[in-house]
PDB file of all heavy atoms in Angstrom:
ATOM      1  N   ILE A   1      15.515   9.907  -1.930  1.00  0.00           N
ATOM      2  CA  ILE A   1      14.222   9.109  -1.853  1.00  0.00           C
ATOM      3  C   ILE A   1      14.584   7.637  -1.485  1.00  0.00           C
ATOM      4  O   ILE A   1      13.832   6.988  -0.636  1.00  0.00           O
ATOM      5  CB  ILE A   1      13.346   9.260  -3.158  1.00  0.00           C
ATOM      6  CG1 ILE A   1      12.837  10.597  -3.279  1.00  0.00           C
ATOM      7  CG2 ILE A   1      12.367   8.080  -3.236  1.00  0.00           C
ATOM      8  CD1 ILE A   1      12.212  10.943  -4.662  1.00  0.00           C
ATOM      9  N   MET A   2      15.598   7.081  -2.098  1.00  0.00           N
ATOM     10  CA  MET A   2      15.983   5.690  -1.857  1.00  0.00           C
ATOM     11  C   MET A   2      16.414   5.608  -0.376  1.00  0.00           C
ATOM     12  O   MET A   2      16.114   4.470   0.267  1.00  0.00           O
ATOM     13  CB  MET A   2      17.061   5.144  -2.728  1.00  0.00           C
ATOM     14  CG  MET A   2      16.623   5.142  -4.174  1.00  0.00           C
ATOM     15  SD  MET A   2      15.260   3.850  -4.472  1.00  0.00           S
ATOM     16  CE  MET A   2      16.232   2.462  -4.082  1.00  0.00           C
ATOM     17  N   ARG A   3      17.078   6.518   0.100  1.00  0.00           N
ATOM     18  CA  ARG A   3      17.577   6.456   1.643  1.00  0.00           C
ATOM     19  C   ARG A   3      16.393   6.518   2.488  1.00  0.00           C
ATOM     20  O   ARG A   3      16.202   5.636   3.377  1.00  0.00           O
ATOM     21  CB  ARG A   3      18.403   7.662   1.911  1.00  0.00           C
ATOM     22  CG  ARG A   3      18.981   7.765   3.300  1.00  0.00           C
ATOM     23  CD  ARG A   3      19.708   8.989   3.626  1.00  0.00           C
ATOM     24  NE  ARG A   3      19.150  10.195   3.296  1.00  0.00           N
ATOM     25  CZ  ARG A   3      18.016  10.770   3.891  1.00  0.00           C
ATOM     26  NH1 ARG A   3      17.647  10.184   5.014  1.00  0.00           N
ATOM     27  NH2 ARG A   3      17.487  11.946   3.421  1.00  0.00           N
ATOM     28  N   LYS A   4      15.456   7.423   2.180  1.00  0.00           N
ATOM     29  CA  LYS A   4      14.162   7.534   3.093  1.00  0.00           C
ATOM     30  C   LYS A   4      13.276   6.248   2.874  1.00  0.00           C
ATOM     31  O   LYS A   4      12.806   5.755   3.970  1.00  0.00           O
ATOM     32  CB  LYS A   4      13.366   8.731   2.602  1.00  0.00           C
ATOM     33  CG  LYS A   4      13.949  10.014   2.982  1.00  0.00           C
ATOM     34  CD  LYS A   4      13.012  11.205   2.412  1.00  0.00           C
ATOM     35  CE  LYS A   4      13.719  12.592   2.654  1.00  0.00           C
ATOM     36  NZ  LYS A   4      12.882  13.608   2.014  1.00  0.00           N
ATOM     37  N   ARG A   5      13.302   5.698   1.821  1.00  0.00           N
ATOM     38  CA  ARG A   5      12.605   4.398   1.562  1.00  0.00           C
ATOM     39  C   ARG A   5      13.188   3.278   2.304  1.00  0.00           C
ATOM     40  O   ARG A   5      12.583   2.398   3.056  1.00  0.00           O
ATOM     41  CB  ARG A   5      12.319   3.995   0.173  1.00  0.00           C
ATOM     42  CG  ARG A   5      11.389   4.837  -0.627  1.00  0.00           C
ATOM     43  CD  ARG A   5      11.229   4.344  -2.023  1.00  0.00           C
ATOM     44  NE  ARG A   5      10.764   3.010  -2.223  1.00  0.00           N
ATOM     45  CZ  ARG A   5       9.674   2.550  -2.157  1.00  0.00           C
ATOM     46  NH1 ARG A   5       8.676   3.392  -1.814  1.00  0.00           N
ATOM     47  NH2 ARG A   5       9.370   1.299  -2.175  1.00  0.00           N
ATOM     48  N   GLY A   6      14.509   3.311   2.362  1.00  0.00           N
ATOM     49  CA  GLY A   6      15.349   2.305   3.166  1.00  0.00           C
ATOM     50  C   GLY A   6      15.087   2.417   4.566  1.00  0.00           C
ATOM     51  O   GLY A   6      14.853   1.402   5.373  1.00  0.00           O
ATOM     52  N   GLU A   7      14.995   3.676   5.126  1.00  0.00           N
ATOM     53  CA  GLU A   7      14.684   3.942   6.481  1.00  0.00           C
ATOM     54  C   GLU A   7      13.288   3.597   6.863  1.00  0.00           C
ATOM     55  O   GLU A   7      12.974   3.161   8.087  1.00  0.00           O
ATOM     56  CB  GLU A   7      15.075   5.439   6.852  1.00  0.00           C
ATOM     57  CG  GLU A   7      16.477   5.802   6.682  1.00  0.00           C
ATOM     58  CD  GLU A   7      16.668   7.291   6.806  1.00  0.00           C
ATOM     59  OE1 GLU A   7      15.648   8.078   6.864  1.00  0.00           O
ATOM     60  OE2 GLU A   7      17.888   7.754   6.771  1.00  0.00           O
ATOM     61  N   SER A   8      12.382   3.706   6.015  1.00  0.00           N
ATOM     62  CA  SER A   8      11.004   3.369   6.246  1.00  0.00           C
ATOM     63  C   SER A   8      10.617   2.079   5.622  1.00  0.00           C
ATOM     64  O   SER A   8       9.405   1.783   5.463  1.00  0.00           O
ATOM     65  CB  SER A   8      10.142   4.382   5.531  1.00  0.00           C
ATOM     66  OG  SER A   8      10.414   5.680   6.067  1.00  0.00           O
ATOM     67  N   ARG A   9      11.582   1.197   5.374  1.00  0.00           N
ATOM     68  CA  ARG A   9      11.256  -0.246   4.701  1.00  0.00           C
ATOM     69  C   ARG A   9      10.121  -0.890   5.406  1.00  0.00           C
ATOM     70  O   ARG A   9       9.172  -1.309   4.792  1.00  0.00           O
ATOM     71  CB  ARG A   9      12.600  -0.947   4.776  1.00  0.00           C
ATOM     72  CG  ARG A   9      12.378  -2.397   4.230  1.00  0.00           C
ATOM     73  CD  ARG A   9      13.795  -3.146   4.166  1.00  0.00           C
ATOM     74  NE  ARG A   9      13.692  -4.323   3.485  1.00  0.00           N
ATOM     75  CZ  ARG A   9      13.232  -5.456   4.107  1.00  0.00           C
ATOM     76  NH1 ARG A   9      12.973  -5.478   5.325  1.00  0.00           N
ATOM     77  NH2 ARG A   9      13.260  -6.647   3.424  1.00  0.00           N
ATOM     78  N   GLN A  10      10.310  -1.111   6.641  1.00  0.00           N
ATOM     79  CA  GLN A  10       9.262  -1.981   7.352  1.00  0.00           C
ATOM     80  C   GLN A  10       7.905  -1.369   7.350  1.00  0.00           C
ATOM     81  O   GLN A  10       6.776  -2.021   7.132  1.00  0.00           O
ATOM     82  CB  GLN A  10       9.742  -2.298   8.772  1.00  0.00           C
ATOM     83  CG  GLN A  10       8.913  -3.607   9.435  1.00  0.00           C
ATOM     84  CD  GLN A  10       9.046  -4.738   8.515  1.00  0.00           C
ATOM     85  OE1 GLN A  10       9.968  -5.272   8.205  1.00  0.00           O
ATOM     86  NE2 GLN A  10       7.869  -5.349   8.173  1.00  0.00           N
ATOM     87  N   THR A  11       7.820  -0.074   7.538  1.00  0.00           N
ATOM     88  CA  THR A  11       6.585   0.755   7.503  1.00  0.00           C
ATOM     89  C   THR A  11       5.862   0.559   6.147  1.00  0.00           C
ATOM     90  O   THR A  11       4.687   0.181   6.043  1.00  0.00           O
ATOM     91  CB  THR A  11       6.774   2.170   7.855  1.00  0.00           C
ATOM     92  OG1 THR A  11       7.315   2.247   9.076  1.00  0.00           O
ATOM     93  CG2 THR A  11       5.417   2.978   7.868  1.00  0.00           C
ATOM     94  N   ILE A  12       6.687   0.772   5.101  1.00  0.00           N
ATOM     95  CA  ILE A  12       6.179   0.551   3.761  1.00  0.00           C
ATOM     96  C   ILE A  12       5.634  -0.833   3.547  1.00  0.00           C
ATOM     97  O   ILE A  12       4.464  -1.002   3.019  1.00  0.00           O
ATOM     98  CB  ILE A  12       7.203   0.915   2.715  1.00  0.00           C
ATOM     99  CG1 ILE A  12       7.589   2.408   2.798  1.00  0.00           C
ATOM    100  CG2 ILE A  12       6.923   0.651   1.294  1.00  0.00           C
ATOM    101  CD1 ILE A  12       8.860   2.809   2.072  1.00  0.00           C
ATOM    102  N   ILE A  13       6.355  -1.825   3.915  1.00  0.00           N
ATOM    103  CA  ILE A  13       5.977  -3.207   3.669  1.00  0.00           C
ATOM    104  C   ILE A  13       4.661  -3.415   4.543  1.00  0.00           C
ATOM    105  O   ILE A  13       3.748  -4.085   4.012  1.00  0.00           O
ATOM    106  CB  ILE A  13       7.096  -4.231   4.147  1.00  0.00           C
ATOM    107  CG1 ILE A  13       8.288  -4.164   3.132  1.00  0.00           C
ATOM    108  CG2 ILE A  13       6.551  -5.632   4.206  1.00  0.00           C
ATOM    109  CD1 ILE A  13       9.428  -4.770   3.554  1.00  0.00           C
ATOM    110  N   ASP A  14       4.638  -3.047   5.764  1.00  0.00           N
ATOM    111  CA  ASP A  14       3.415  -3.244   6.600  1.00  0.00           C
ATOM    112  C   ASP A  14       2.218  -2.549   6.013  1.00  0.00           C
ATOM    113  O   ASP A  14       1.112  -3.201   6.009  1.00  0.00           O
ATOM    114  CB  ASP A  14       3.661  -2.789   8.059  1.00  0.00           C
ATOM    115  CG  ASP A  14       4.734  -3.487   8.845  1.00  0.00           C
ATOM    116  OD1 ASP A  14       5.040  -4.717   8.335  1.00  0.00           O
ATOM    117  OD2 ASP A  14       5.187  -3.018   9.807  1.00  0.00           O
ATOM    118  N   LYS A  15       2.361  -1.370   5.596  1.00  0.00           N
ATOM    119  CA  LYS A  15       1.184  -0.646   5.007  1.00  0.00           C
ATOM    120  C   LYS A  15       0.707  -1.306   3.710  1.00  0.00           C
ATOM    121  O   LYS A  15      -0.550  -1.494   3.409  1.00  0.00           O
ATOM    122  CB  LYS A  15       1.581   0.747   4.749  1.00  0.00           C
ATOM    123  CG  LYS A  15       1.579   1.528   6.032  1.00  0.00           C
ATOM    124  CD  LYS A  15       1.732   3.150   5.844  1.00  0.00           C
ATOM    125  CE  LYS A  15       1.706   3.852   7.058  1.00  0.00           C
ATOM    126  NZ  LYS A  15       1.700   5.258   7.037  1.00  0.00           N
ATOM    127  N   ARG A  16       1.654  -1.789   2.887  1.00  0.00           N
ATOM    128  CA  ARG A  16       1.313  -2.439   1.670  1.00  0.00           C
ATOM    129  C   ARG A  16       0.628  -3.823   2.034  1.00  0.00           C
ATOM    130  O   ARG A  16      -0.295  -4.190   1.385  1.00  0.00           O
ATOM    131  CB  ARG A  16       2.561  -2.663   0.768  1.00  0.00           C
ATOM    132  CG  ARG A  16       2.225  -3.383  -0.515  1.00  0.00           C
ATOM    133  CD  ARG A  16       1.280  -2.568  -1.379  1.00  0.00           C
ATOM    134  NE  ARG A  16       1.161  -3.260  -2.786  1.00  0.00           N
ATOM    135  CZ  ARG A  16       0.135  -3.082  -3.523  1.00  0.00           C
ATOM    136  NH1 ARG A  16      -0.892  -2.352  -3.095  1.00  0.00           N
ATOM    137  NH2 ARG A  16       0.128  -3.791  -4.685  1.00  0.00           N
ATOM    138  N   LEU A  17       1.132  -4.531   2.896  1.00  0.00           N
ATOM    139  CA  LEU A  17       0.513  -5.813   3.340  1.00  0.00           C
ATOM    140  C   LEU A  17      -0.924  -5.530   3.781  1.00  0.00           C
ATOM    141  O   LEU A  17      -1.891  -6.244   3.363  1.00  0.00           O
ATOM    142  CB  LEU A  17       1.345  -6.394   4.505  1.00  0.00           C
ATOM    143  CG  LEU A  17       0.766  -7.646   5.166  1.00  0.00           C
ATOM    144  CD1 LEU A  17       0.661  -8.833   4.120  1.00  0.00           C
ATOM    145  CD2 LEU A  17       1.545  -8.182   6.310  1.00  0.00           C
ATOM    146  N   ASP A  18      -1.191  -4.531   4.593  1.00  0.00           N
ATOM    147  CA  ASP A  18      -2.381  -4.230   5.016  1.00  0.00           C
ATOM    148  C   ASP A  18      -3.366  -3.846   3.959  1.00  0.00           C
ATOM    149  O   ASP A  18      -4.476  -4.210   3.915  1.00  0.00           O
ATOM    150  CB  ASP A  18      -2.297  -2.951   6.165  1.00  0.00           C
ATOM    151  CG  ASP A  18      -3.601  -2.673   6.809  1.00  0.00           C
ATOM    152  OD1 ASP A  18      -4.261  -3.618   7.364  1.00  0.00           O
ATOM    153  OD2 ASP A  18      -4.063  -1.492   6.698  1.00  0.00           O
ATOM    154  N   GLN A  19      -2.847  -2.979   3.070  1.00  0.00           N
ATOM    155  CA  GLN A  19      -3.650  -2.721   1.872  1.00  0.00           C
ATOM    156  C   GLN A  19      -4.089  -3.832   0.985  1.00  0.00           C
ATOM    157  O   GLN A  19      -5.223  -4.000   0.668  1.00  0.00           O
ATOM    158  CB  GLN A  19      -2.811  -1.749   0.953  1.00  0.00           C
ATOM    159  CG  GLN A  19      -3.581  -1.260  -0.313  1.00  0.00           C
ATOM    160  CD  GLN A  19      -2.741  -0.504  -1.125  1.00  0.00           C
ATOM    161  OE1 GLN A  19      -1.459  -0.604  -1.217  1.00  0.00           O
ATOM    162  NE2 GLN A  19      -3.257   0.293  -2.052  1.00  0.00           N
ATOM    163  N   LEU A  20      -3.255  -4.807   0.804  1.00  0.00           N
ATOM    164  CA  LEU A  20      -3.377  -5.975  -0.006  1.00  0.00           C
ATOM    165  C   LEU A  20      -4.472  -6.919   0.723  1.00  0.00           C
ATOM    166  O   LEU A  20      -5.419  -7.457   0.134  1.00  0.00           O
ATOM    167  CB  LEU A  20      -2.173  -6.692  -0.382  1.00  0.00           C
ATOM    168  CG  LEU A  20      -1.258  -6.038  -1.259  1.00  0.00           C
ATOM    169  CD1 LEU A  20       0.083  -6.850  -1.434  1.00  0.00           C
ATOM    170  CD2 LEU A  20      -1.853  -5.915  -2.726  1.00  0.00           C
ATOM    171  N   LEU A  21      -4.294  -7.000   2.016  1.00  0.00           N
ATOM    172  CA  LEU A  21      -5.171  -7.823   2.797  1.00  0.00           C
ATOM    173  C   LEU A  21      -6.609  -7.315   2.793  1.00  0.00           C
ATOM    174  O   LEU A  21      -7.648  -7.992   2.724  1.00  0.00           O
ATOM    175  CB  LEU A  21      -4.613  -8.241   4.098  1.00  0.00           C
ATOM    176  CG  LEU A  21      -3.361  -8.891   4.167  1.00  0.00           C
ATOM    177  CD1 LEU A  21      -2.899  -9.177   5.565  1.00  0.00           C
ATOM    178  CD2 LEU A  21      -3.489 -10.280   3.505  1.00  0.00           C
ATOM    179  N   ARG A  22      -6.639  -5.980   3.017  1.00  0.00           N
ATOM    180  CA  ARG A  22      -7.991  -5.267   2.923  1.00  0.00           C
ATOM    181  C   ARG A  22      -8.671  -5.452   1.550  1.00  0.00           C
ATOM    182  O   ARG A  22      -9.851  -5.706   1.513  1.00  0.00           O
ATOM    183  CB  ARG A  22      -7.805  -3.808   3.230  1.00  0.00           C
ATOM    184  CG  ARG A  22      -7.581  -3.489   4.725  1.00  0.00           C
ATOM    185  CD  ARG A  22      -7.375  -1.982   4.862  1.00  0.00           C
ATOM    186  NE  ARG A  22      -7.123  -1.685   6.320  1.00  0.00           N
ATOM    187  CZ  ARG A  22      -8.158  -1.405   7.087  1.00  0.00           C
ATOM    188  NH1 ARG A  22      -9.366  -1.331   6.836  1.00  0.00           N
ATOM    189  NH2 ARG A  22      -7.861  -1.085   8.441  1.00  0.00           N
ATOM    190  N   GLU A  23      -7.872  -5.274   0.540  1.00  0.00           N
ATOM    191  CA  GLU A  23      -8.428  -5.490  -0.800  1.00  0.00           C
ATOM    192  C   GLU A  23      -8.933  -6.892  -0.951  1.00  0.00           C
ATOM    193  O   GLU A  23     -10.011  -7.138  -1.519  1.00  0.00           O
ATOM    194  CB  GLU A  23      -7.418  -5.138  -1.926  1.00  0.00           C
ATOM    195  CG  GLU A  23      -7.225  -3.698  -1.938  1.00  0.00           C
ATOM    196  CD  GLU A  23      -6.068  -3.172  -2.978  1.00  0.00           C
ATOM    197  OE1 GLU A  23      -5.548  -4.179  -3.665  1.00  0.00           O
ATOM    198  OE2 GLU A  23      -5.828  -2.027  -3.056  1.00  0.00           O
ATOM    199  N   ALA A  24      -8.268  -7.893  -0.501  1.00  0.00           N
ATOM    200  CA  ALA A  24      -8.545  -9.305  -0.549  1.00  0.00           C
ATOM    201  C   ALA A  24      -9.967  -9.559   0.175  1.00  0.00           C
ATOM    202  O   ALA A  24     -10.659 -10.386  -0.187  1.00  0.00           O
ATOM    203  CB  ALA A  24      -7.531 -10.158  -0.053  1.00  0.00           C
ATOM    204  N   GLU A  25     -10.164  -8.854   1.165  1.00  0.00           N
ATOM    205  CA  GLU A  25     -11.268  -9.015   2.084  1.00  0.00           C
ATOM    206  C   GLU A  25     -12.413  -8.102   1.513  1.00  0.00           C
ATOM    207  O   GLU A  25     -13.534  -8.022   2.098  1.00  0.00           O
ATOM    208  CB  GLU A  25     -11.037  -8.520   3.400  1.00  0.00           C
ATOM    209  CG  GLU A  25     -10.138  -9.555   4.115  1.00  0.00           C
ATOM    210  CD  GLU A  25      -9.658  -9.018   5.537  1.00  0.00           C
ATOM    211  OE1 GLU A  25      -9.945  -8.051   6.008  1.00  0.00           O
ATOM    212  OE2 GLU A  25      -8.823  -9.858   6.165  1.00  0.00           O
ATOM    213  N   GLY A  26     -12.162  -7.375   0.375  1.00  0.00           N
ATOM    214  CA  GLY A  26     -13.254  -6.491  -0.104  1.00  0.00           C
ATOM    215  C   GLY A  26     -13.390  -5.196   0.572  1.00  0.00           C
ATOM    216  O   GLY A  26     -14.404  -4.521   0.420  1.00  0.00           O
ATOM    217  N   LEU A  27     -12.413  -4.810   1.322  1.00  0.00           N
ATOM    218  CA  LEU A  27     -12.468  -3.609   2.170  1.00  0.00           C
ATOM    219  C   LEU A  27     -11.634  -2.490   1.607  1.00  0.00           C
ATOM    220  O   LEU A  27     -11.303  -1.423   2.225  1.00  0.00           O
ATOM    221  CB  LEU A  27     -12.082  -3.853   3.681  1.00  0.00           C
ATOM    222  CG  LEU A  27     -12.996  -4.867   4.326  1.00  0.00           C
ATOM    223  CD1 LEU A  27     -12.374  -5.232   5.657  1.00  0.00           C
ATOM    224  CD2 LEU A  27     -14.376  -4.444   4.354  1.00  0.00           C
ATOM    225  N   GLY A  28     -10.995  -2.736   0.412  1.00  0.00           N
ATOM    226  CA  GLY A  28     -10.153  -1.699  -0.161  1.00  0.00           C
ATOM    227  C   GLY A  28     -10.889  -0.599  -0.869  1.00  0.00           C
ATOM    228  O   GLY A  28     -12.113  -0.546  -1.047  1.00  0.00           O
ATOM    229  N   TRP A  29     -10.137   0.376  -1.264  1.00  0.00           N
ATOM    230  CA  TRP A  29     -10.744   1.579  -1.991  1.00  0.00           C
ATOM    231  C   TRP A  29     -10.536   1.265  -3.453  1.00  0.00           C
ATOM    232  O   TRP A  29      -9.383   1.118  -3.954  1.00  0.00           O
ATOM    233  CB  TRP A  29      -9.912   2.777  -1.644  1.00  0.00           C
ATOM    234  CG  TRP A  29     -10.427   4.104  -2.209  1.00  0.00           C
ATOM    235  CD1 TRP A  29     -10.365   4.523  -3.452  1.00  0.00           C
ATOM    236  CD2 TRP A  29     -11.268   4.985  -1.548  1.00  0.00           C
ATOM    237  NE1 TRP A  29     -11.106   5.717  -3.650  1.00  0.00           N
ATOM    238  CE2 TRP A  29     -11.682   6.007  -2.465  1.00  0.00           C
ATOM    239  CE3 TRP A  29     -11.825   5.122  -0.215  1.00  0.00           C
ATOM    240  CZ2 TRP A  29     -12.453   7.070  -2.179  1.00  0.00           C
ATOM    241  CZ3 TRP A  29     -12.696   6.159   0.129  1.00  0.00           C
ATOM    242  CH2 TRP A  29     -12.896   7.219  -0.883  1.00  0.00           C
ATOM    243  N   THR A  30     -11.632   1.058  -4.205  1.00  0.00           N
ATOM    244  CA  THR A  30     -11.540   0.792  -5.467  1.00  0.00           C
ATOM    245  C   THR A  30     -11.903   1.990  -6.468  1.00  0.00           C
ATOM    246  O   THR A  30     -12.923   2.819  -6.170  1.00  0.00           O
ATOM    247  CB  THR A  30     -12.376  -0.391  -5.966  1.00  0.00           C
ATOM    248  OG1 THR A  30     -13.685  -0.096  -5.598  1.00  0.00           O
ATOM    249  CG2 THR A  30     -11.985  -1.705  -5.295  1.00  0.00           C
ATOM    250  N   PRO A  31     -11.124   2.346  -7.493  1.00  0.00           N
ATOM    251  CA  PRO A  31     -11.410   3.454  -8.376  1.00  0.00           C
ATOM    252  C   PRO A  31     -12.703   3.067  -9.120  1.00  0.00           C
ATOM    253  O   PRO A  31     -13.026   1.987  -9.332  1.00  0.00           O
ATOM    254  CB  PRO A  31     -10.175   3.602  -9.227  1.00  0.00           C
ATOM    255  CG  PRO A  31      -9.549   2.305  -9.206  1.00  0.00           C
ATOM    256  CD  PRO A  31      -9.902   1.649  -7.832  1.00  0.00           C
ATOM    257  N   PRO A  32     -13.369   4.193  -9.700  1.00  0.00           N
ATOM    258  CA  PRO A  32     -14.602   3.786 -10.606  1.00  0.00           C
ATOM    259  C   PRO A  32     -14.039   2.909 -11.683  1.00  0.00           C
ATOM    260  O   PRO A  32     -12.875   2.969 -12.224  1.00  0.00           O
ATOM    261  CB  PRO A  32     -14.885   5.156 -11.137  1.00  0.00           C
ATOM    262  CG  PRO A  32     -14.411   6.101 -10.164  1.00  0.00           C
ATOM    263  CD  PRO A  32     -13.100   5.500  -9.590  1.00  0.00           C
ATOM    264  N   HIS A  33     -15.002   2.039 -12.160  1.00  0.00           N
ATOM    265  CA  HIS A  33     -14.647   1.083 -13.274  1.00  0.00           C
ATOM    266  C   HIS A  33     -14.114   1.878 -14.446  1.00  0.00           C
ATOM    267  O   HIS A  33     -14.598   2.826 -15.027  1.00  0.00           O
ATOM    268  CB  HIS A  33     -15.995   0.414 -13.689  1.00  0.00           C
ATOM    269  CG  HIS A  33     -15.746  -0.722 -14.669  1.00  0.00           C
ATOM    270  ND1 HIS A  33     -15.017  -1.875 -14.418  1.00  0.00           N
ATOM    271  CD2 HIS A  33     -16.064  -0.739 -16.050  1.00  0.00           C
ATOM    272  CE1 HIS A  33     -14.943  -2.650 -15.511  1.00  0.00           C
ATOM    273  NE2 HIS A  33     -15.530  -1.957 -16.420  1.00  0.00           N
ATOM    274  N   GLY A  34     -13.071   1.218 -14.961  1.00  0.00           N
ATOM    275  CA  GLY A  34     -12.351   1.789 -16.252  1.00  0.00           C
ATOM    276  C   GLY A  34     -11.389   2.846 -15.948  1.00  0.00           C
ATOM    277  O   GLY A  34     -10.720   3.446 -16.814  1.00  0.00           O
ATOM    278  N   THR A  35     -11.151   3.214 -14.576  1.00  0.00           N
ATOM    279  CA  THR A  35     -10.283   4.249 -14.253  1.00  0.00           C
ATOM    280  C   THR A  35      -8.984   3.612 -13.835  1.00  0.00           C
ATOM    281  O   THR A  35      -9.048   2.778 -12.973  1.00  0.00           O
ATOM    282  CB  THR A  35     -10.832   5.154 -13.084  1.00  0.00           C
ATOM    283  OG1 THR A  35     -12.135   5.605 -13.511  1.00  0.00           O
ATOM    284  CG2 THR A  35      -9.836   6.279 -12.808  1.00  0.00           C
ATOM    285  N   PRO A  36      -7.796   4.061 -14.335  1.00  0.00           N
ATOM    286  CA  PRO A  36      -6.520   3.465 -13.949  1.00  0.00           C
ATOM    287  C   PRO A  36      -6.339   3.829 -12.468  1.00  0.00           C
ATOM    288  O   PRO A  36      -6.737   4.817 -11.972  1.00  0.00           O
ATOM    289  CB  PRO A  36      -5.477   4.021 -14.830  1.00  0.00           C
ATOM    290  CG  PRO A  36      -6.115   5.225 -15.374  1.00  0.00           C
ATOM    291  CD  PRO A  36      -7.585   5.065 -15.279  1.00  0.00           C
ATOM    292  N   GLY A  37      -5.578   3.023 -11.735  1.00  0.00           N
ATOM    293  CA  GLY A  37      -5.272   3.206 -10.328  1.00  0.00           C
ATOM    294  C   GLY A  37      -4.292   4.409 -10.187  1.00  0.00           C
ATOM    295  O   GLY A  37      -3.788   4.974 -11.258  1.00  0.00           O
TER     296      GLY A  37
END
């Protein structure tokens, strides 16, 4: 898993960046209130 993550490092970072920016813009997927992520 660590090897695969290392190979996919930039893709993982890019996707997480996109996710965080979408959430900051109010475009993220939010779970129902009181539900853990």
Side-chain angles (χ1 to χ4, degrees):
I1 290 170
M2 292 298 294
R3 180 187 49 77
K4 288 177 186 175
R5 286 183 58 80
E7 292 169 357
S8 300
R9 179 181 186 272
Q10 196 57 51
T11 301
I12 293 169
I13 292 169
D14 290 345
K15 286 186 177 189
R16 180 64 174 149
L17 175 63
D18 184 53
Q19 179 188 23
L20 291 172
L21 296 178
R22 284 178 179 269
E23 287 174 4
E25 294 172 358
L27 301 174
W29 186 281
T30 53
H33 184 68
T35 305

